[in-house]
Amino acid sequence: MIYLSGIFITGTSSNVGKTIITTCLTYAFRKRKVDAVPYKPVQCGAITEGGKWLAPDVELYRKVYNPKDDEQLNSFLYEPRFSPHIAAQLANRPIDPQVIKRNYDELHKVHELVLVEGAGGLAVPLIDEHYGTPSLIKDLNIPIVIVTQATVGTLNATALTAHYAQSKDLDIKGIIINGYPDNPTEGVKNNPRMIEKMTGVPVIGIVPQIKNVETRIGEKEVLEKLIEGIDLDKLLE
């Protein structure tokens, strides 16, 4: 029995691997017979293919999830890779949280669990300085997972993100460390334990570094390696 309607996947910054983790979680939950669906409310940095604008993150989800024709896996798509509030202003197409909530609810009507991927880091504004990602998470009323990287600086970035989330009264399910090397330095080895001490939040996943992961993520062997270190039970507690 799944009691959560959804989980919001956020990150310590852009390019920490939120889309990889969202794709991995979709695969892992579905493998476990949990009907999970990925959803990217706002995508900046659209790509073109065959004369059509596409959301690149949604295209990556397709490696593990084949959406139905009428499923809305992305609500707002913008060409420039800017902060959402600026991209929306330039396109003269403001982000409407009610549309996102409606699309989210429609997905949840036919799926057990909606995995919502944010745009950029947690403090990103969506409309203005008053309405950003934390406001959307509260409107959706779902917990979050923070994605960080196994690199120098991760302690600072992860602690700041976790404390910011806590200051906004968000429910943090856990932290996933992405891109963990095969031969970590002593500093990297210490990061998971220190992150837990600094934030009070459990590290629920350590995802290995895989070369060309975005192009190879559709391979079962790669997916199995990626999800091996993620504790799904902690997410569903």
Side-chain angles (χ1 to χ4, degrees):
M1 178 68 71
I2 304 298
Y3 297 101
L4 290 173
S5 68
I7 299 169
F8 196 99
I9 294 93
T10 189
T12 53
S13 71
S14 297
N15 302 317
V16 294
K18 296 188 306 298
T19 308
I20 293 295
I21 299 303
T22 303
T23 304
C24 287
L25 289 175
T26 302
Y27 173 79
F29 276 119
R30 295 184 74 83
K31 179 185 176 185
R32 192 161 154 170
K33 307 302 180 187
V34 174
D35 182 10
V37 59
Y39 172 47
K40 179 83 174 186
V42 180
Q43 172 88 74
C44 300
I47 58 175
T48 55
E49 190 173 295
K52 288 177 59 179
W53 288 105
L54 300 173
D57 293 357
V58 172
E59 294 307 298
L60 198 67
Y61 302 158
R62 290 177 184 272
K63 301 282 188 180
V64 301
Y65 178 77
N66 186 26
K68 301 176 181 65
D69 290 339
D70 59 343
E71 282 192 323
Q72 195 83 16
L73 300 189
N74 168 244
S75 300
F76 294 93
L77 179 62
Y78 302 105
E79 181 181 359
R81 193 176 173 85
F82 298 159
S83 176
H85 74 292
I86 289 292
Q89 287 175 22
L90 292 173
N92 198 27
R93 284 188 293 112
I95 292 166
D96 186 345
Q98 292 185 351
V99 171
I100 294 173
K101 182 67 167 64
R102 186 167 63 246
N103 290 162
Y104 174 89
D105 288 341
E106 287 169 355
L107 288 171
H108 188 241
K109 282 178 186 175
V110 292
H111 298 281
E112 288 180 281
L113 186 66
V114 185
L115 300 173
V116 186
E117 182 189 347
L122 183 59
V124 166
L126 297 177
I127 297 175
D128 53 25
E129 70 275 20
H130 303 295
Y131 194 98
T133 300
S135 306
L136 175 61
I137 294 167
K138 287 198 154 189
D139 284 347
L140 296 176
N141 193 28
I142 55 178
I144 71 170
V145 167
I146 297 171
V147 179
T148 190
Q149 284 185 315
T151 54
V152 173
T154 194
L155 295 179
N156 180 67
T158 309
L160 287 173
T161 300
H163 293 320
Y164 179 74
Q166 290 159 347
S167 77
K168 297 295 183 180
D169 296 320
L170 302 180
D171 177 13
I172 312 174
K173 278 288 183 181
I175 294 166
I176 294 177
I177 301 175
N178 185 41
Y180 199 84
D182 289 336
N183 299 298
T185 64
E186 287 303 313
V188 169
K189 286 179 187 176
N190 179 258
N191 282 342
R193 183 168 66 254
M194 185 54 69
I195 283 172
E196 292 186 332
K197 288 181 177 179
M198 292 174 70
T199 64
V201 178
V203 171
I204 59 170
I206 296 180
V207 176
Q209 184 179 61
I210 294 180
K211 190 175 181 181
N212 301 321
V213 65
E214 290 196 1
T215 57
R216 298 187 60 204
I217 199 167
E219 301 172 22
K220 186 174 180 182
E221 181 183 351
V222 170
L223 281 163
E224 291 293 333
K225 186 175 180 182
L226 288 169
I227 69 170
E228 187 177 13
I230 300 175
D231 190 341
L232 293 186
D233 291 325
K234 291 277 180 64
L235 281 174
L236 297 176
E237 284 178 355

